[in-house]
Amino acid sequence: MQSSDLPKIQSTFQNQVLIHPDHAAGNLKVPTSNQTDLNQKTPIAVAVLSIFSLAAVLLLGFIVIPRTRNVMYAANAAETLETLDTRIKNVNESLDLLYQSLTASNASDDTSLSEIDSGVLAANTSAATNSLSGNSLLLLKSIREVLERSSQVKGFSIPENDPNKAVRQQRKLAENISDKSELAQDLLKKKLLHLKTSSVPSGADLLKKDVEETTKKTDLYLSETDKTAKYYVSVSDAAIELYNISNTITSVNDIDNSVTDLTKIRNVFANYDKKELPAEMDDLNKDVVTVFDLLINFFKTVKTDSVSNPGNLLTALATFVSETKSLGVQTSIHELNFWQNNKALSSYKDLAKDYDTTIKKAGEVKEQNNYFLLPLIGIK
């Protein structure tokens, strides 16, 4: 074969179709492929899986997760409210005891000066505010003894009666109220305010509104009880200090120091932060300031007139006693007005009902949203 024939042979070979002998005889069996069936089945499986996945997502998103959140919110709300309800009840019980101290005195309007018990100057006045006036008279007793030794004033007597035991008891009670109020406020800030601001599904939205309203009322109530307790601690301290001052006066020369001490106590109430003063307490606080103004002015008169015009002392004494008695009656009225007109302090019964209602609603929300899977994941 010549090399020139090679291209012809290659061309001929490329144009030929090779046929298998069996194919020519009709016996060739070409294996069939499963690819077509697999391609048909794959979309169905994917669709079924997608449906189940979507159902699971919908179940979680619209049923499981919302119900779980509602149950957890309701359980936390019920637990917090029950604890706070107990603490507020303890505050109210102590506050009632403080209020009951207002009914401890029985002085009549026509009681003479010599018959006035320095611890009982006006009916329906607390031990502390009552003792402000009473200890004012004890101060006069000390002044009278000093002046009698100088033979300048005679015939003025005040019965020996130390009211400090009752005042100290009242102070301890007021401190107890303040401590309990602060304990409840701490729980309110840490947990109840968190419940108030939490985002909840629609199944617990009404419960959340009740929690918000209860939180608001509770905060106001505890704020007023704490302010009231702290104020009575201050008044008790002032009453006790008046008694202590009365025991330090041994001569006219001691009056200057007493005036300085009295002025310091007076300024505590004259400069009392209005934001820290309980609602409706302003008139009573002014009476407390007036007690010290009367004392300070009288002491200054004693210091001056004991030397320059001793004849005015009896008039000054009578005037002071008269004004002190009138102030005692006025103080009792203002103190009762405070307790009667302070709406927050008198709101406990309504607040207790709100707690009962909200705790009950929390139980209902928990029951309505509960399902069998929750105990399995540790939620009860």
Side-chain angles (χ1 to χ4, degrees):
M1 180 182 298
Q2 297 179 356
S3 60
S4 59
D5 294 332
L6 183 60
K8 295 180 181 180
I9 293 174
Q10 290 176 340
S11 175
T12 302
F13 182 80
Q14 290 174 351
N15 292 331
Q16 289 180 343
V17 177
L18 299 179
I19 300 175
H20 193 281
D22 289 339
H23 187 279
N27 296 324
L28 180 64
K29 295 182 179 180
V30 180
T32 60
S33 173
N34 292 328
Q35 186 66 36
T36 302
D37 292 340
L38 182 60
N39 290 340
Q40 291 176 347
K41 292 179 180 179
T42 298
I44 296 175
V46 171
V48 172
L49 182 61
S50 299
I51 291 173
F52 276 107
S53 298
L54 179 61
V57 170
L58 292 175
L59 181 65
L60 286 172
F62 291 95
I63 298 178
V64 177
I65 293 178
R67 284 195 173 192
T68 301
R69 289 176 61 194
N70 286 340
V71 169
M72 293 178 65
Y73 182 86
N76 289 336
E79 180 182 2
T80 302
L81 289 169
E82 287 171 356
T83 304
L84 195 53
D85 185 33
T86 299
R87 293 185 182 183
I88 293 173
K89 181 180 180 181
N90 292 336
V91 171
N92 184 70
E93 288 175 349
S94 296
L95 197 68
D96 275 346
L97 293 176
L98 184 62
Y99 176 76
Q100 289 170 17
S101 70
L102 301 177
T103 62
S105 56
N106 300 290
S108 60
D109 292 339
D110 57 352
T111 304
S112 65
L113 178 62
S114 61
E115 296 171 339
I116 292 178
D117 184 333
S118 60
V120 184
L121 281 178
N124 299 324
T125 308
S126 68
T129 52
N130 193 8
S131 293
L132 284 176
S133 297
N135 287 346
S136 297
L137 296 182
L138 286 177
L139 277 171
L140 290 188
K141 179 177 182 294
S142 298
I143 292 292
R144 187 266 305 170
E145 291 174 346
V146 170
L147 296 179
E148 278 190 343
R149 286 198 295 271
S150 302
S151 300
Q152 294 171 327
V153 176
K154 297 181 182 295
F156 181 80
S157 62
I158 298 293
E160 291 281 355
N161 191 339
D162 179 4
N164 287 346
K165 180 179 179 180
V167 177
R168 289 194 178 98
Q169 288 174 337
Q170 181 173 277
R171 187 188 190 283
K172 184 176 181 180
L173 178 59
E175 278 189 317
N176 180 260
I177 295 170
S178 180
D179 291 342
K180 289 179 178 179
S181 296
E182 289 178 352
L183 187 65
Q185 284 176 315
D186 184 60
L187 179 62
L188 177 73
K189 293 176 181 178
K190 287 183 177 179
K191 292 191 175 182
L192 200 57
L193 287 178
H194 174 71
L195 291 172
K196 175 185 174 182
T197 57
S198 298
S199 174
V200 297
S202 59
D205 53 354
L206 293 179
L207 172 61
K208 183 184 176 184
K209 288 182 180 179
D210 284 353
V211 169
E212 291 174 351
E213 187 64 24
T214 302
T215 300
K216 181 179 178 181
K217 292 179 180 179
T218 301
D219 187 39
L220 178 59
Y221 176 78
L222 292 176
S223 175
E224 285 298 295
T225 57
D226 190 39
K227 289 178 183 179
T228 300
K230 284 183 168 60
Y231 186 83
Y232 273 96
V233 169
S234 296
V235 174
S236 299
D237 288 341
I240 293 172
E241 188 60 24
L242 276 181
Y243 183 81
N244 294 336
I245 292 173
S246 71
N247 291 328
T248 64
I249 300 176
T250 58
S251 69
V252 175
N253 293 329
D254 295 326
I255 292 178
D256 287 336
N257 292 333
S258 298
V259 168
T260 299
D261 293 338
L262 291 171
T263 301
K264 289 179 180 178
I265 303 172
R266 174 201 178 276
N267 290 339
V268 169
F269 299 95
N271 301 325
Y272 210 96
D273 189 347
K274 298 296 183 182
K275 294 180 180 179
E276 298 302 320
L277 199 65
E280 306 298 332
M281 182 65 86
D282 193 55
D283 287 341
L284 180 59
N285 188 59
K286 290 178 180 177
D287 290 342
V288 173
V289 174
T290 302
V291 168
F292 289 98
D293 286 338
L294 290 175
L295 278 169
I296 291 169
N297 291 334
F298 176 74
F299 273 35
K300 289 179 179 179
T301 299
V302 170
K303 179 65 183 296
T304 302
D305 290 351
S306 63
V307 177
S308 62
N309 194 357
N312 287 339
L313 288 178
L314 284 176
T315 302
L317 286 169
T319 301
F320 177 85
V321 170
S322 176
E323 290 177 341
T324 300
K325 288 183 63 178
S326 297
L327 183 61
V329 174
Q330 177 177 294
T331 300
S332 69
I333 295 173
H334 288 161
E335 190 160 20
L336 283 177
N337 286 344
F338 158 71
W339 286 95
Q340 293 172 357
N341 297 333
N342 188 304
K343 295 181 180 180
L345 293 184
S346 59
S347 68
Y348 173 74
K349 288 185 178 180
D350 292 335
L351 186 60
K353 291 179 181 178
D354 289 341
Y355 270 85
D356 290 341
T357 301
T358 308
I359 292 171
K360 182 179 179 182
K361 184 170 290 185
E364 292 172 352
V365 169
K366 183 178 177 182
E367 183 178 352
Q368 292 167 359
N369 288 273
N370 203 0
Y371 62 99
F372 70 96
L373 291 177
L374 287 181
L376 299 179
I377 59 177
I379 300 176
K380 298 180 181 181

